[in-house]
């Protein structure tokens, strides 16, 4: 049996999926970036690059549809800004970063500056 959201988080709303630059910017502003932000990347072996980027603090989370957001110059700028805020923490994140860099148009935003691998 899988855990259900409401069993763990009660009335806390589900994280919102950012599919465009404006939504990503709004959601990143809602992150409590006074401390580090954790990140994780999901992908499919069927296509290059990242499919989903997850950014989270102890109080909130942002889900990013990377191909959708990175498909526009505005989206690439919003992704670049998301990577230039608080320190990003990952665990064994070398492959996550490689997938981000393999995403089309990643050279406009995928940077490992400020990323710390906790492994």
């Amino acid at each position: 049996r899988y855990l259900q959201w409401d069993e763990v988080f009660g009335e806390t709303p589900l994280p919102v999926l950012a599919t465009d630059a404006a939504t990503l910017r709004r959601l990143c502003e809602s992150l409590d970036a006074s401390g580090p932000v954790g990140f994780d990347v999901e992908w499919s072996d069927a296509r290059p690059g990242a499919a989903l980027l997850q950014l989270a603090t102890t109080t909130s989370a942002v889900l990013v549809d990377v191909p959708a957001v990175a498909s526009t110059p505005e989206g690439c700028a919003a992704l670049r800004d998301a990577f230039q805020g608080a320190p990003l923490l990952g665990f064994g994140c070398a492959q996550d970063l490689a997938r981000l860099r393999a995403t089309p148009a990643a050279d406009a935003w995928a940077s490992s500056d400020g990323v710390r691998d906790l492994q």
Side-chain angles (χ1 to χ4, degrees), residues 12 30 40 67 74 83 91 98 101 105-106 111-112:
T12 302
S30 73
D40 189 36
E74 297 83 9
F83 273 79
F91 187 83
R101 288 188 196 105
S111 170
S112 60

Side-chain angles (χ1 to χ4, degrees), residues 5 12-18 27 60-63:
W5 179 267
T12 302
L14 289 168
V16 176
L17 178 65
L27 292 173
S60 59
V62 172
L63 303 176

Side-chain angles (χ1 to χ4, degrees), residues 2 5 14 22 32 34 36 45 52 56 65 70-71 89 93 100 102 107:
Y2 294 101
W5 179 267
L14 289 168
D32 174 18
S34 60
D45 290 329
L52 180 75
D65 181 337
S71 68
L89 303 179
C93 59
L100 285 171
D107 57 330

Side-chain angles (χ1 to χ4, degrees), residues 38-63:
F39 84 101
D40 189 36
V41 175
E42 305 301 331
W43 60 84
S44 167
D45 290 329
R47 65 183 197 185
L52 180 75
L53 170 64
Q54 304 159 67
L55 301 170
T57 66
T58 58
T59 59
S60 59
V62 172
L63 303 176

